[in-house]
Amino acid sequence: MAAVVAATALKGRGARNARVLRGILAGATANKASHNRTRALQSHSSPEGKEEPEPLSPELEYIPRKRGKNPMKAVGLAWYSLYTRTWLGYLFYRQQLRRARNRYPKGHSKTQPRLFNGVKVLPIPVLSDNYSYLIIDTQAQLAVAVDPSDPRAVQASIEKEGVTLVAILCTHKHCPLCHQDVVSVGRLQIRALATPGHTQGHLVYLLDGEPYKGPSCLFSGDLLFLSGCGRTFEGNAETMLSSLDTVLGLGDDTLLWPGHEYAEENLGFAGVVEPENLARERKMQWVQRQRLERKGTCPSTLGEERSYNPFLRTHCLALQEALGPGPGPTGDDDYSRAQLLEELRRLKDMHKSK
């Protein structure tokens, strides 16, 4: 039986909740600042006498695989190490926070809560494209915060909802919790699932829908986005594939609440690698209508994601034939899928949206 983690109620509201948020976030939130959009690298010419393959699309620059691994990886790892382990990173996060508050005083997107039989999920737009969440038992007036990157914005939502903050869950680094641990708050039953890859200690959180007779909700942090997945800062393709397969084992009606508003950019990339995917095209049209009005695009469902998210489709023959490196030296299918995932991630890092 999974271990149960008792969440200690934080008595009092207002200033007390704000102090709790600030104290925890001082060390934790630097890990959840928004990532800058990856810039396309300049093309590499093929060796003399060898024909360079045609590019997949004008939007996607082709980098021959024989040139080696993604040249952005080392830079990304060095930057991420500075960002998460030094005061320089924390200062950069504070600068991001100030800029985002000035640019988006009401948040980067307009969001709507979802209410299910006494349970409310409230997305809170923070920083330039991040999402924090409040999960609320409306009967008990108790709340759990997920990835509260901007404590001021989260505190404002807590006060507006008139709830008591009971627990804070962080996806990137959360040492007190382990795989399959359960946090119980009122009617809320939230299970932690270990999903390393983006970070070594990355966790996602699954809100069980059974107690309130509604859909389960997956708070995926930087593991999984609408039509995308996170970069492997502290992991490799094999680890990320295993984590994505953990999510694939959940039900199709599970609602996906990601850590970033990346939908339009991700669907643009998905159109490059699977241009004839009609499910992607329909979703892109809907997303573009939403974004024209600055409306948020979450949640999607895992059933939808299976139909157009290329990072969840490494088992699909069409993608394997288009991009796949072929079977591994032992013919092992998982090894081949991991290679395809690595190639997809490499191409996505090179992708530049119009």
Side-chain angles (χ1 to χ4, degrees), residues 70-351:
N70 179 5
M72 284 293 289
K73 188 172 181 63
V75 176
L77 285 172
W79 173 86
Y80 191 74
S81 180
L82 286 173
Y83 185 50
T84 59
R85 299 177 185 178
T86 70
W87 276 101
L88 183 64
Y90 181 68
L91 292 174
F92 179 65
Y93 154 72
R94 297 294 300 180
Q95 182 184 52
Q96 285 183 304
L97 193 59
R98 287 192 298 271
R99 287 179 176 176
R101 285 172 176 172
N102 291 333
R103 185 177 181 184
Y104 305 113
K106 295 183 179 180
H108 58 76
S109 300
K110 303 171 187 176
T111 61
Q112 291 292 328
R114 289 288 185 94
L115 187 62
F116 315 101
N117 302 319
V119 171
K120 179 187 284 190
V121 176
L122 177 63
I124 305 170
V126 295
L127 297 175
S128 61
D129 54 27
N130 289 59
Y131 284 115
S132 300
Y133 296 95
L134 281 184
I135 313 171
I136 301 171
D137 181 333
T138 59
Q139 294 180 0
Q141 291 292 284
L142 301 176
V144 174
V146 180
D147 286 336
S149 303
D150 183 345
R152 182 189 299 173
V154 174
Q155 177 63 23
S157 294
I158 290 170
E159 294 176 357
K160 182 177 179 180
E161 295 293 324
V163 296
T164 299
L165 179 66
V166 176
I168 293 174
L169 302 176
C170 297
T171 54
H172 283 43
K173 310 281 185 181
H174 203 325
C175 296
L177 290 175
C178 299
H179 184 59
Q180 297 290 356
D181 281 348
V182 173
V183 174
S184 299
V185 176
R187 301 172 67 200
L188 309 177
Q189 298 289 315
I190 304 172
R191 185 179 303 274
L193 300 174
T195 52
H198 178 68
T199 63
Q200 291 179 355
H202 196 280
L203 296 174
V204 298
Y205 299 98
L206 182 66
L207 173 65
D208 186 1
E210 181 60 29
Y212 58 91
K213 305 302 179 186
S216 294
C217 294
L218 179 68
F219 300 89
S220 60
D222 278 8
L223 170 70
L224 185 65
F225 310 119
L226 193 155
S227 194
C229 80
R231 296 179 65 183
T232 52
F233 284 122
E234 296 180 352
N236 53 37
E238 289 80 5
T239 304
M240 181 63 83
L241 179 64
S242 177
S243 295
L244 292 172
D245 282 348
T246 296
V247 168
L248 277 173
L250 304 176
D252 280 355
D253 61 346
T254 301
L255 298 181
L256 174 66
W257 301 92
H260 288 272
E261 181 55 69
Y262 287 165
E264 191 168 9
E265 179 182 334
N266 286 344
L267 285 165
F269 172 72
V272 171
V273 296
E274 280 195 293
E276 298 181 2
N277 188 318
L278 295 180
R280 184 215 68 88
E281 180 61 28
R282 288 191 296 270
K283 189 68 174 183
M284 177 62 117
Q285 291 174 5
W286 178 83
V287 163
Q288 288 176 334
R289 290 195 298 271
Q290 292 290 104
R291 297 311 295 160
L292 279 175
E293 301 179 25
R294 285 188 55 206
K295 292 181 179 179
T297 60
C298 58
S300 63
T301 69
L302 290 186
E304 286 183 280
E305 293 302 311
R306 294 178 210 273
S307 69
Y308 54 63
N309 188 330
F311 298 96
L312 296 182
R313 295 170 57 78
T314 54
H315 59 282
C316 294
L317 182 60
L319 269 181
Q320 292 174 358
E321 290 178 344
L323 300 176
T330 62
D332 182 73
D333 181 62
D334 284 339
Y335 183 78
S336 179
R337 287 180 61 214
Q339 285 182 303
L340 179 56
L341 180 65
E342 184 175 28
E343 181 67 1
L344 280 169
R345 185 64 260 177
R346 188 182 74 92
L347 292 172
K348 177 63 174 67
D349 292 344
M350 307 300 170
H351 178 65

Side-chain angles (χ1 to χ4, degrees), residues 44-53 62-67:
H44 296 265
S45 58
S46 59
E48 186 175 352
K50 300 223 174 166
E51 185 177 357
E52 184 174 323
Y62 184 83
I63 309 295
R65 188 177 302 140
K66 58 190 167 187
R67 287 282 179 172

